[in-house]
Amino acid sequence: MTNIIKRTAAGLGFNFCGIARAEVLTEDARRLEAWLNKGLHGKMQYMENYFDLRIDPGKLVPGAKSVITLMMNYFPAERQNGEAPKIAKYAYGSDYHEVIREKLKELIRLIKLDAGDINGRGFVDSAPVLERTWAQKSGLGWIGKNGNLINKNSGSFFFIATLIVDIELEYDDPFTKDFCGSCTRCIDNCPTGAILPGKVIDGSKCISYFTIELKDALIPGTMKGKFDNWMFGCDTCQDVCPWNRFSKPTTEIDFKPIDAVLNFSNNDWEELTEESFKQIFKHSPIKRTKYAGIKRNLQFIKTNNAV
Ligand code: B12
Ligand code: SF4
Ligand code: SF4
């Protein structure tokens, strides 16, 4: 079954697949609790919910035995027009939630053809699952100082998804090495100082948080001059990471950059109407901020780029 699952996952376009025994994440529970207690989640209230589920796959899938972690490369072959407000690379193409959810459904269907009526649920991003931890436990890479899961051969521009099942499988060894060494490039280059010691990210200071997750009408003035022209998300701590020099462009057709992301000029963004926004970004991760969020971000970087 393990071989069938890994082969099927590869056939569906997942670049990596690793499997770990389902267990309660005791150490991560401590780290997550400390992160929440320090308020490093800012106003992302959803991170306070379902603590028990987040640290115990058995609470998400009754009788859970195995956690299958799948990773998909999203590194684009092309870049945005240089003077346009910057968009994180994960948002260049179609919404990964939609793309990967379909693939997970298909993977479960195909597994059931061989394994019978097993109990399994697939998750990507929005569920209470510590995805980076499971990726590390499944041998797919280490958690870098920038908080991201880094694969030694392919870098960190990957989405992570998990599939929790109630069958025993063959388990991969956890990735126990750490190849960050004495490098501090991500910490030195983070525009807002959001990377703390010990692989802890202050979510409440991250540009990705301000530009995507924060629903307030205004971005705090303390961030004035710090956004380095990022309008949606931020890639700085990954762009400067030496392990990303091994990134290869994705072959997933759905992650191919949409025309607007590549070619919109500053002016096109400024003049974008709500109607066009809804139509152009209907299947893009950018729709998450809604039109008002994009307008707020644009206004902020326009008036605050110069310190
Ligand atoms: C909330 C969230 C955010 C928040 C908070 C960030 C954060 N670091 O938590 C914000 C909005 C800021 C954010 C930003 C980004 N995010 Co985000 N985010 C999430 C989400 C939904 C939950 C993460 C979480 O649980 N945080 C709580 C903290 C405490 O957990 P953690 O950072 O994962 O750390 C755990 C492990 O790393 C582990 N750990 C930490 N140190 C160590 C050390 C050792 C030795 C070990 C073994 C374990 C370990 O313990 C921690 C607690 O359990 C996940 C999806 C998911 N369900 O997991 C995506 C996710 C982490 N994000 C992702 C991405 C792509 C990003 C961005 C790159 C997007 C962008 N370009 O703008 C940035 C990167 C910012 C950064 N440097 O981390 C990807 C990461 C892919 C990867 N290769 O790692 C994920 C997995 C989504 C996905 N399904 O692909 N994100
Ligand atoms: S995504 Fe940007 S703001 Fe967030 S930690 Fe990385 S470099 Fe800092
Ligand atoms: S930039 Fe350096 S310290 Fe940061 S994650 Fe990459 S290798 Fe690790």
Side-chain angles (χ1 to χ4, degrees):
M1 260 334 286
T2 303
N3 286 337
I4 291 174
I5 291 172
K6 290 192 173 177
R7 255 198 329 267
T8 313
L12 287 168
F14 289 107
N15 305 91
F16 293 102
C17 175
I19 308 180
R21 185 183 294 284
E23 59 191 10
V24 178
L25 299 169
T26 334
E27 260 183 61
D28 291 273
R30 263 196 306 104
R31 276 192 285 258
L32 177 62
E33 195 177 14
W35 190 74
L36 290 167
N37 285 343
K38 287 185 192 135
L40 302 182
H41 58 307
K43 292 185 179 175
M44 294 181 283
Q45 242 102 33
Y46 56 84
M47 288 304 298
E48 293 169 21
N49 302 337
Y50 308 118
F51 187 89
D52 289 3
L53 276 62
R54 229 174 265 277
I55 58 159
D56 183 1
K59 293 222 160 77
L60 285 162
V61 172
K65 298 253 176 7
S66 309
V67 180
I68 304 166
T69 296
L70 303 138
M71 301 213 311
M72 250 188 120
N73 176 14
Y74 62 82
F75 190 72
E78 299 153 284
R79 288 294 171 279
Q80 274 184 274
N81 160 6
E83 52 67 83
K86 293 193 272 186
I87 297 170
K89 289 182 264 304
Y90 86 87
Y92 275 24
S94 293
D95 192 334
Y96 64 104
H97 299 97
E98 295 168 24
V99 176
I100 296 181
R101 208 176 290 136
E102 285 312 306
K103 288 185 190 289
L104 288 172
K105 269 198 220 154
E106 183 59 5
L107 181 57
I108 297 175
R109 191 186 71 79
L110 293 170
I111 293 174
K112 283 185 176 174
L113 291 181
D114 282 291
D117 195 21
I118 61 151
N119 198 6
R121 279 177 76 187
F123 304 95
V124 54
D125 192 44
S126 36
V129 179
L130 287 166
E131 295 175 330
R132 306 202 248 213
T133 299
W134 288 111
Q136 181 271 335
K137 279 186 166 293
S138 309
L140 300 182
W142 77 98
I143 289 154
K145 289 179 192 166
N146 64 9
N148 286 295
L149 190 284
I150 307 175
N151 179 279
K152 193 165 181 241
N153 300 315
S154 310
S156 65
F157 290 108
F158 283 84
F159 295 121
I160 309 177
T162 50
L163 178 54
I164 304 176
V165 292
D166 64 351
I167 48 170
E168 290 266 357
L169 295 165
E170 278 171 45
Y171 301 118
D172 292 289
D173 291 329
F175 198 94
T176 49
K177 293 213 171 81
D178 178 330
F179 290 99
C180 280
S182 58
C183 173
T184 55
R185 290 176 74 164
C186 52
I187 300 172
D188 303 340
N189 286 282
C190 172
T192 58
I195 306 180
L196 308 178
K199 306 181 174 184
V200 176
I201 305 301
D202 183 348
S204 74
K205 274 193 177 170
C206 178
I207 293 172
S208 193
Y209 162 76
F210 287 119
T211 55
I212 307 172
E213 299 300 316
L214 185 72
K215 304 300 171 218
D216 294 0
L218 292 174
I219 290 167
T222 47
M223 287 295 127
K224 191 175 156 75
K226 293 189 177 167
F227 272 23
D228 192 23
N229 214 25
W230 286 106
M231 175 186 70
F232 186 92
C234 167
D235 277 338
T236 302
C237 56
Q238 297 192 88
D239 286 339
V240 298
C241 178
W243 293 99
N244 279 330
R245 64 181 183 262
F246 302 115
S247 303
K248 288 177 204 74
T250 178
T251 51
E252 173 60 51
I253 194 88
D254 284 332
F255 296 152
K256 198 178 150 39
I258 60 171
D259 185 61
V261 164
L262 291 183
N263 299 318
F264 260 27
S265 65
N266 213 354
N267 222 25
D268 294 327
W269 282 107
E270 287 291 339
E271 287 174 3
L272 183 67
T273 63
E274 182 155 15
E275 207 185 359
S276 308
F277 175 83
K278 282 187 179 155
Q279 198 216 325
I280 296 171
F281 300 102
K282 200 170 164 195
H283 295 292
S284 153
I286 297 176
K287 66 179 177 291
R288 182 164 169 83
T289 59
K290 305 209 169 68
Y291 180 68
I294 287 296
K295 284 280 142 182
R296 174 200 64 181
N297 297 347
L298 275 172
Q299 185 62 22
F300 186 79
I301 53 181
K302 188 169 77 182
T303 50
N304 291 289
N305 257 343
V307 189

